[in-house]
Amino acid sequence: MDLHVSLVGRRDLAGQIYAQLRAAILDGRLRAGEALPPTRELARRLSISRNTVGVAYDRLAAEGFLTSRVGAGTYVRETGSAARGAPAASPLRPRRIWDEVSVWPPPMPGIRWDFRAGLPDVRLFPYESWRRIMAGLLRPSGLGDPVDPAGLPALREAIARHIGVSRSVRANGRDIVVTSGVQQALDLIVRVLLEPGDVVAVEDPGYPPVRMLLAAAGMRVRGVPVDAEGLRVDALPGDARAVYVTPSHQFPMGMPMSLPRRRALLDWARRRDVVIVEDDYDTEYRYGGRPIEPLQSIDEDGRVLYTGTFSKIMRPVLRLGFLVAPPALHRAFRMARYVTSWHAELPAQAALARFIDEGLLARHIRRSRREYRARHERVAELVGRLFGDRLTLVPAEAGLHLSAVLPAGADDAAIAARALGAGVGLFTLSEFAVARPPAVSGLVFGYGAVAPPEIEAGLRRLREAAG
């Protein structure tokens, strides 16, 4: 153990060592069974005599804190239970915004049927292929020199090819900034393009962590209602500097933004010199209808910043995403990435580049899309049959969840609470709302984390709990 002992002056050195080791044992920094450095080694590091260290060890052993094993060394015998903490009082105080930010989603203990949105089925992931790639990269010659802050060049090129083919996004490797997900992409956008106090428009209902990030960065967040065609452009605030949208699959409602509405949004942003942040979080999972053309692909002014994530496709713990930026912003985004988290996730970046290039990502998407399509259809059928008298499904042909609207005045939070008590976890539409009271209430049925044989049992239990 690299044990830190600080000696002051030359008086009572053994007593100083004794006091510091005793305090470390009592407050739990040194745990029962941990080995202390041999007296000769600690004496050499402290530039004192070995006997001085021996006196401190003997005193601790006599008091029952240490024990010696012949030929093995000296070990901690007892520890205290109090954890070491910060001083009781500090003059430092966080900004008030941090009193309003909380972890989302909140913990849901005791879930048996997990219908929370946004969770993929991790059992579908090809672990053996990923493990093979990672094992090769973690050899001494597997990873090269430090990379561009924007990300590993091989991964940026692979992402550009992938989204160009699968999503019709116009980009090359130079346009890509690798991130740890959409949250980091949005954080970079705020740093590069916005000023504290700027107004940012978001969809209502919409993704809560986005609003929390914007508020924490000093933005003024304004909710904009959505309807059957997506974000209502006519309701956008005139002083907005940026708009965050999920046009391909509105989160959480599920409808796509119509082409006329998308063109209206681009025209509005052009006239007012506004940046559009397009979050295309699960386009790969489309089960019917015509493919939705991204805003980025019909943007003629270079004001759409396109973001995406691989967490929904692969595993949430593999924190990898991307941002597509026009050439005029390349250097600024690269520098923003540099000053925040340069070289993050390098082994995972290299592995994902090979995963894409070997065709494994495309194969995984095809296989999982078939599985999720079956679950999508099953959930839609069962919700219509079991809840048709109370819930109205929002038409959706993509993603890992379906939303359903309750009659006006219904308390979706109370239903979700009763469901959780019965072992069913799910989100409500009201918890995604910006305006209070929420304009709409309802339930969100995620089907990524529920095994197919359990879907009907879980929904029946929900019906019983809902009353």
Side-chain angles (χ1 to χ4, degrees), residues 148-364:
D148 188 309
L152 195 69
L155 177 58
R156 294 162 66 194
E157 292 291 342
I159 291 174
R161 290 192 301 273
H162 169 70
I163 61 177
V165 172
S166 67
R167 308 186 186 186
S168 298
V169 172
R170 300 176 300 174
N172 57 49
R174 295 185 300 276
D175 300 321
I176 304 294
V177 179
V178 179
T179 69
S180 61
V182 172
Q183 288 289 105
Q184 187 182 45
L186 187 60
D187 180 71
L188 295 175
I189 292 168
V190 169
R191 293 172 187 273
V192 168
L193 291 171
L194 301 178
E195 299 285 351
D198 281 350
V199 172
V200 180
V202 300
E203 296 165 317
D204 184 9
Y207 189 48
V210 164
R211 302 198 297 272
M212 290 188 283
L213 184 151
L214 292 170
M219 305 297 109
R220 290 183 291 158
V221 183
R222 299 287 185 268
V224 180
V226 299
D227 60 20
E229 294 187 66
L231 180 81
R232 281 185 49 194
V233 177
D234 64 325
L236 283 164
D239 56 349
R241 293 289 305 121
V243 181
Y244 169 86
V245 291
T246 54
S248 295
H249 184 224
Q250 201 281 329
F251 188 89
M253 298 297 287
M255 77 288 285
M257 183 182 288
S258 68
L259 181 58
R261 191 70 61 83
R262 278 178 279 153
R263 293 197 181 279
L265 175 59
L266 289 171
D267 182 62
W268 181 89
R270 183 185 309 113
R271 287 186 281 105
R272 297 176 178 270
D273 191 26
V274 170
V275 61
I276 299 173
V277 182
E278 179 177 13
D279 182 357
D280 200 359
Y281 62 97
D282 62 2
T283 290
E284 288 84 358
Y285 296 125
R286 175 157 291 280
Y287 314 120
R290 295 179 178 178
I292 303 299
E293 200 169 18
L295 283 169
Q296 192 267 359
S297 69
I298 58 176
D299 171 29
E300 298 176 354
D301 297 329
R303 63 179 61 257
V304 174
L305 299 177
Y306 182 90
T307 69
T309 178
F310 292 97
S311 298
K312 300 291 188 299
I313 308 170
M314 300 169 70
R315 286 203 64 187
V317 296
L318 297 174
R319 301 306 307 168
L320 286 171
F322 57 90
L323 166 66
V324 181
L329 300 177
H330 285 179
R331 184 185 183 280
F333 277 118
R334 181 178 292 107
M335 292 301 97
R337 185 73 157 95
Y338 169 75
V339 300
T340 53
S341 56
W342 191 21
H343 297 334
E345 315 95 26
L346 182 55
Q349 285 192 35
L352 181 56
R354 294 191 185 182
F355 197 72
I356 295 173
D357 287 341
E358 292 182 15
L360 296 169
L361 179 64
R363 186 185 308 167
H364 171 59

Side-chain angles (χ1 to χ4, degrees), residues 5-21:
V5 175
S6 176
L7 298 180
V8 179
R10 304 298 300 176
R11 297 182 58 183
D12 192 19
L13 299 182
Q16 293 185 50
I17 297 171
Y18 160 82
Q20 292 179 50
L21 293 183

